[in-house]
Amino acid sequence: MATPEPMTAAESWRLSKSRARVATGERERDDVLVSGWIVDSWLEGCLTAPRRLVLQVAPRNRWGPLWIVEASPSLVSDRSWLEDLGENLCHGSLVDAVGRTDRTGTVVATSLKLVR
């Protein structure tokens, strides 16, 4: 009998999260990658203390509806990027966002990669 391949750390983490969700009755959802161009952006709250960043993203590799991505401003490490997003100066910039969809279809980002 062949020994199974060892699990990667990511596979092990996914399995442990899956088991935890089964134990708590949560529905398991996979991470979603949104990759495309920023069509619109705004900050909720004031510029000096934003509470939430919202991006409308046009998909990069396919035609389709815009994605709505919500993120914590803390995911944007560059303060000038955050100000530019709040002033709509980043339209057309590339973004990759990783997160989970909520029940409305909005992607709640856990990671953002912004490219000028």
Side-chain angles (χ1 to χ4, degrees):
M1 177 189 265
T3 56
E5 291 288 319
M7 273 195 281
T8 65
E11 290 170 331
S12 175
W13 180 84
R14 223 177 274 122
L15 182 61
S16 66
K17 290 293 279 184
S18 177
R19 287 182 180 148
R21 284 195 176 107
V22 168
T24 60
E26 290 181 40
R27 209 181 73 177
E28 184 172 356
R29 295 175 294 180
D30 292 328
D31 283 344
V32 174
L33 170 65
V34 175
S35 184
W37 289 273
I38 297 172
V39 175
D40 197 5
S41 59
W42 63 92
L43 294 170
E44 294 184 350
C46 63
L47 201 60
T48 57
R51 294 180 312 233
R52 184 169 62 160
L53 167 65
V54 182
L55 303 173
Q56 287 183 336
V57 179
R60 186 186 312 192
N61 295 328
R62 63 177 174 79
W63 292 100
L66 297 176
W67 285 90
I68 302 296
V69 177
E70 294 181 356
S72 167
S74 64
L75 293 178
V76 181
S77 59
D78 183 352
R79 182 73 183 159
S80 62
W81 247 112
L82 195 57
E83 290 172 6
D84 288 350
L85 285 166
E87 297 293 325
N88 292 326
L89 299 175
C90 297
H91 292 184
S93 297
L94 290 172
V95 63
D96 290 331
V98 176
R100 299 192 182 236
T101 56
D102 66 9
R103 58 188 162 91
T104 65
T106 299
V107 176
V108 180
T110 56
S111 171
L112 282 179
K113 180 181 174 189
L114 299 161
V115 180
R116 285 198 196 245

